[in-house]
């Protein structure tokens, strides 16, 4: 019997230390060779995920969508985009994943729908002031003829957050115009999301990732309060901001928790909330979503002091919330970390993308070394870990996508001042040749560069020292060695992190360039060969210590 066959799918605490693999469905594997990843392709690759050793998959949106924002513009929350599959193929996917001991998390997008959602179409067809319009945020404009937007609110993707409709009213969209914001003061909206959560939970979904969890509740009292900027990390922390992280949003999640708890085991959730760290804990409370993403490792530079501070603070927050921490280096919204860590500290990533990755030059070998070291940190920390598809292949950002190929609305909406997020969403390479490197068909929806060949699964499978084999080895060891949520810090040099997990298991990460001594014991895994028993710079090791545990 494999490890996976022993997975207990009824365990209500599974999420606390789960390794969750993020699938961006349109870019994972294409089963019918039309250039777009789909459930058939994903089902075929379940054995790959099982062999990798992850505990759950999180599926970015697969719902019917015009793809104005990569599927985060949802036409129908209770269906599958026909290009990706159907409800029966979704059921097949859940069954195949569960049979392999892999749980399934789906993405819920509650701040906004798409402009093709049935209720938005009804709102447009109905008159100002109607019940249909009340499900969204419609307002008359300012100015003599209502020709000015109702407030100074701005969209995340650039420009005003208001778009005018033919009868003269304006609707709110904190993201693209194709993503109208729901009015969460409307009871029908609240109830409909409960219906959606139950719809997927009834189909066997184990958990939910909640998009823009700090949005939803807004202060819509007249006159609308000024808020002319978008950075939700930089807002007042008393819960009174008109648009983000309002105290009232938590009541919504307490309602969702009651829905999750109707199931056995209770369904889980993780908040995507880009808010000041002190507030993140609120979303993770057990009577709300249960977990909140920690994005601090995404933002941190390759620096021991920064990493240590992030780890200490995040663990502290998780403890306060009664949750467990969530660690991640990459996702579909950020430059891949194999590239980030190969660029000089404090590189402006947006400016770098605009040079197509030419300036400053990326140190590819350094980024790869650090990405190897990073995964041994990620998977050694107490709590759950999120792995973004392709990082196990050591993929870097595809920084030189041609302007004409870009799909991200950021490119257009920023008036071509930001290239956006497509460079981390390029379809995966499975084989070393073929026109789409085994992704499927003749072409992928975003073009893959030639260097993807050396990162293909085929090139790394069974290859000693490959990134894929490092991830597999680390995940296999983690299953054996991580019984609980504690770590104890050990003394180390300023560029080195050294902590011990129960069972005498030491984790040493050398973020400097001087080789560092290791504690006595058996080296279970190292991201780079040791030199004279020392851990080289930009490397990590897991050691089973020979001294008894003291922590
Ligand atoms: C966060 C998602 O991760 C991102 O991809 C999306 O553009 C926004 N939310 C809007 O839904
Ligand atoms: Ca397809």
């Amino acid at each position: 019997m494999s490890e996976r066959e022993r997975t207990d799918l009824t365990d209500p605490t599974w999420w606390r230390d789960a390794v969750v693999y993020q699938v961006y469905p349109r870019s994972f594997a294409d089963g019918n060779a039309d250039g777009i990843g789909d459930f058939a392709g994903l089902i075929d690759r379940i054995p790959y995920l099982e062999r990798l050793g992850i505990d759950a998959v999180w599926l970015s949106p697969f719902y019917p969508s015009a793809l104005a924002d990569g599927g985060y513009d949802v036409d129908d929350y209770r269906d599958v985009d026909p290009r990706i599959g159907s409800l029966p193929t979704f059921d097949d996917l859940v069954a195949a994943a569960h049979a392999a001991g892999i749980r399934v998390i789906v993405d819920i997008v509650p701040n906004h729908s798409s402009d093709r959602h049935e209720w938005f179409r009804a709102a447009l067809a109905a008159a100002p002031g109607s019940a249909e319009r009340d499900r969204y945020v419609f307002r008359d404009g300012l100015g003599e003829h209502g020709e000015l937007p109702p407030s100074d609110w701005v969209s995340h993707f650039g420009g005003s957050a208001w778009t005018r409709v033919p009868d003269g009213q304006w609707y709110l969209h904190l993201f693209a115009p194709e993503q109208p914001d729901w009015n969460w003061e409307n009871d029908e909206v609240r109830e409909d999301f409960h219906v959606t959560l139950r719809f997927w939970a009834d189909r066997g979904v184990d958990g939910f990732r909640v998009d823009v969890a700090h949005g939803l509740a807004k202060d819509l009292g007249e006159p609308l309060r000024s808020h002319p900027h978008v950075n939700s990390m930089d807002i007042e922390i008393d819960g009174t901001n008109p648009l983000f992280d309002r105290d009232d949003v938590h009541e919504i999640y307490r309602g969702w928790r009651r829905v999750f708890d109707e199931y056995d085991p209770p369904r889980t959730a993780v908040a995507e909330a880009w808010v000041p760290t002190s507030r993140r804990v609120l979303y993770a409370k057990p009577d709300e979503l249960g977990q909140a993403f920690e994005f601090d490792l995404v933002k941190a530079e390759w620096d021991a002091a920064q990493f240590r501070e992030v780890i200490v603070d995040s663990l502290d927050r998780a403890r306060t919330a009664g949750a467990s921490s969530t660690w991640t280096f990459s996702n579909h919204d950020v430059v891949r970390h194999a590239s980030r860590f190969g660029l000089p500290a404090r590189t402006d990533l947006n400016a770098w993308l605009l040079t197509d990755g030419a300036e400053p030059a990326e140190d590819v070998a350094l980024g790869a070394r650090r990405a190897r070291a990073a995964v041994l940190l990620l998977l050694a920390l107490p709590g759950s870990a999120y792995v973004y598809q392709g990082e196990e292949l050591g993929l870097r950002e595809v920084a030189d996508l041609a302007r004409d190929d870009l799909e991200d609305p950021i490119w257009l909406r920023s008036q071509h001042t930001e290239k956006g997020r497509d460079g981390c969403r390029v379809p995966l390479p499975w084989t070393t040749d073929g026109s789409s490197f085994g992704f499927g068909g003749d072409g992928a929806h975003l073009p893959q560069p030639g260097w993807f060949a050396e990162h293909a699964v085929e090139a790394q499978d069974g290859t000693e020292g490959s990134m894929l084999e490092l991830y597999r080895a680390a995940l296999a060891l983690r299953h054996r060695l991580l019984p609980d949520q504690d770590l104890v810090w050990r003394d180390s040099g300023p560029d080195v992190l050294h902590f011990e997990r129960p069972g005498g298991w030491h984790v040493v990460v050398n973020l400097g360039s001087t080789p560092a001594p290791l504690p006595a014991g058996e080296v279970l895994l190292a991201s780079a060969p040791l030199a004279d028993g020392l851990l080289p710079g930009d490397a990590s090791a897991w050691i089973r210590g020979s001294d008894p545990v003291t922590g």
Side-chain angles (χ1 to χ4, degrees), residues 208-277:
F208 301 92
R209 178 263 189 193
V210 182
D211 188 67
V212 199
H214 56 305
L216 286 66
K218 286 149 195 132
D219 181 358
L220 299 173
E222 300 285 349
L224 298 174
R225 283 161 56 196
S226 172
H227 188 66
H229 59 93
V230 280
N231 188 355
S232 58
M233 299 296 285
D234 187 25
I235 55 174
E236 21 332 28
I237 53 160
D238 61 359
T240 62
N241 184 273
L243 298 179
F244 297 110
D245 193 34
R246 293 180 58 72
D247 282 342
D248 357 350
V249 79
H250 297 287
E251 180 51 37
I252 297 171
Y253 298 132
R254 284 189 281 273
W256 287 24
R257 173 53 59 188
R258 289 189 286 275
V259 174
F260 301 151
D261 287 348
E262 290 166 10
Y263 293 86
D264 182 20
R267 298 324 190 219
T268 67
V270 56
E272 187 225 19
W274 293 86
V275 294
T277 43

Side-chain angles (χ1 to χ4, degrees), residues 29-38 83:
D30 175 13
N32 67 350
D34 65 354
I36 298 171
D38 47 46
R83 289 167 293 187

